[in-house]
Amino acid sequence: MFGMVRPCRHRLGESLAAQWMAHLCGLCLALRGDHGQFARIVTNYDGLLVSVLTEAQTRPVTGGSSGVGRRTAGPCPLRGMRTASVAHGEGARLAAAVSLVLASAKVRDHVADGDGLLARAPVARAARRVAKGWDRAGARTGSAVGFDTAVLVDAVDRQGGIEALAGPGTPILTVTEPTETATAAAFAHTAVLAGRPRNAGPLAEAGRYFGRLAHLLDAVEDRHADAASGAWNPITATGTSLVEARRLADDAVHGVRLALREAEFSDGRLVHRLLVHELRTSVDRAFGTARCAHTAGPEAAGPYAPPGTGAPGGPGAPPPQPPRDNRRGLLAGCAVWLGLACTCQMCCGTYQDPWTGERKEGQCANCDCSGCGDCCSCCDCCGNCCDNCGCDGCDCGCNC
């Protein structure tokens, strides 16, 4: 799993977290359905934004077809062997096409840097073949939903040449341009799938800023590792200061927010949460400036209520428990426990108890929020989302 938009359920809340998981599972299953089990390894957090954008713009219809929908998926080890409602349709397939090309680009980047085993020529050749296969697979799926992935592949191909010519004094935005162009095209096509052509312009602009941010944050996070290994890094190569990189990142977050204001959504709550609040959190995380309002006392928390003081069903309420009739028997629970253990979910992240279905934190999560539903110190959740969010009463649940 890779991607810069990595929310946790404590920030999203139960409703938006369920929607987000529906898109994540929908992307994974779209990859499996079109390209087989192996393709599921390219599932990534940023690719599913395409599916989220498509659904957010899609008007509810009676009959006919639309760019997105829901279906009930079968049991999966990553869901504690339970069924779930997942996204499917053209939005999920577009997300799959984009994810395949993203993964191809990432593999090629690792090959170029000679990372790990990819420094060995036979392994590098095999990785290049896999990357080319993903390019072709992405093109097939993209064509099925009317999207030409050539713009994505072209961006990947141009990136190497641009990096070879870049040096001290080269504007870093010259280096980020291919990524900006690719993400702008993907975001804009969601408007086509949703039947909202007027949204194509604003979403292309949001995608351009998103691509810029993705490239910048990746460079910031990798700069020490790249320096140690001698790999090329755009910030180091162009002599861009961290202060300037942060300014450009903040400007990109602001640009995404303004662009989204120009688009029309049927239900834009999850889009707003991911592309406004979570992008801000991603920037803070990359630059090491994340902060938690709770550690500064209740006065610093602003409109947040202290944990445990919320009304039933609100931020301070305990998470809802599954119904008693959802319990499994001894043998079935043991089988699910084995699956959870083999996929490391009982150590990291969250999982559902094999017998009761109760949501629990992995042993390595070290989460001290006790399911308060508010921002907390675990999972990179720290941060006061009301700092400069510009929600203007968006009703996204952030209490701004």
Side-chain angles (χ1 to χ4, degrees):
M1 296 294 294
F2 60 93
M4 65 175 176
V5 182
R6 305 192 296 267
C8 83
R9 64 185 179 87
H10 302 290
R11 284 197 304 268
L12 291 181
E14 291 296 327
S15 176
L16 294 185
Q19 291 184 41
W20 186 79
M21 282 300 301
H23 287 284
L24 185 63
C25 292
L27 168 58
C28 180
L29 293 174
L31 286 164
R32 184 197 67 178
D34 287 346
H35 308 291
Q37 292 285 359
F38 181 69
R40 300 172 83 171
I41 68 172
V42 309
T43 302
N44 71 91
Y45 296 128
D46 291 348
L48 71 87
L49 292 173
V50 173
S51 179
V52 172
L53 279 169
T54 305
E55 181 177 72
Q57 299 172 78
T58 303
R59 299 181 180 88
V61 295
T62 302
S65 62
S66 63
V68 74
R70 286 283 192 271
R71 72 176 181 86
T72 300
C76 174
L78 298 181
R79 293 193 300 268
M81 294 307 293
R82 282 178 165 79
T83 61
S85 175
V86 303
H88 82 113
E90 292 180 335
R93 299 188 72 190
L94 176 61
V98 171
S99 295
L100 285 162
V101 180
L102 279 176
S104 171
K106 200 167 187 69
V107 168
R108 294 184 187 187
D109 185 56
H110 285 309
V111 170
D113 291 341
D115 293 337
L117 291 175
L118 294 175
R120 301 180 180 180
V123 179
R125 284 195 297 270
R128 289 191 189 97
R129 285 196 295 270
V130 170
K132 289 180 180 178
W134 284 342
D135 285 339
R136 292 191 296 269
R140 290 195 302 272
T141 299
S143 178
V145 295
F147 180 64
D148 187 359
T149 59
V151 65
L152 307 185
V153 177
D154 175 70
V156 174
D157 292 339
R158 287 191 296 112
Q159 190 69 53
I162 291 174
E163 292 179 357
L165 296 175
T170 301
I172 195 169
L173 296 188
T174 300
V175 180
T176 64
E177 179 274 322
T179 308
E180 295 178 24
T181 300
T183 51
F187 275 38
H189 195 69
T190 65
V192 176
L193 295 182
R196 291 186 185 259
R198 290 186 178 182
N199 281 354
L203 292 183
E205 185 74 353
R208 183 172 69 84
Y209 281 116
F210 182 87
R212 176 182 302 180
L213 192 59
H215 206 133
L216 285 172
L217 297 192
D218 185 64
V220 169
E221 292 178 337
D222 291 348
R223 69 190 189 283
H224 294 307
D226 289 343
S229 65
W232 195 91
N233 184 285
I235 289 179
T236 305
T238 60
T240 303
S241 68
L242 284 182
V243 172
E244 175 64 6
R246 179 62 192 252
R247 185 190 70 80
L248 292 171
D250 288 338
D251 180 69
V253 172
H254 184 66
V256 169
R257 179 168 60 85
L258 293 181
L260 291 178
R261 284 183 176 180
E262 301 299 318
E264 296 180 357
F265 296 102
S266 297
D267 184 352
R269 289 175 298 169
L270 183 57
V271 168
H272 179 86
R273 174 64 72 172
L274 297 177
L275 290 179
V276 175
H277 297 289
E278 294 301 330
L279 279 190
R280 173 68 61 188
T281 300
S282 298
V283 172
D284 286 339
R285 181 171 57 234
F287 285 91
T289 57
R291 60 196 182 280
C292 184
H294 299 307
T295 61
E299 295 82 5
Y304 286 111
T309 62
Q321 300 299 315
R324 299 280 297 183
D325 59 5
N326 199 31
R327 293 177 178 271
R328 288 192 175 95
L330 176 63
L331 294 180
C334 288
V336 174
W337 181 92
L338 182 62
L340 290 171
C342 290
T343 56
C344 298
Q345 289 182 85
M346 299 185 78
C347 295
C348 309
T350 61
Y351 65 96
Q352 290 180 322
D353 184 277
W355 290 277
T356 67
E358 178 184 358
R359 185 180 292 274
K360 293 186 175 182
E361 297 286 345
Q363 296 180 16
C364 299
N366 294 322
C367 178
D368 62 2
C369 67
S370 303
C372 65
D374 206 340
C375 61
C376 61
S377 62
C378 65
C379 317
D380 296 319
C381 288
C382 290
N384 186 346
C385 78
C386 294
D387 286 345
N388 304 314
C389 71
C391 293
D392 299 329
C394 65
D395 194 29
C396 68
C398 68
N399 296 322
C400 296

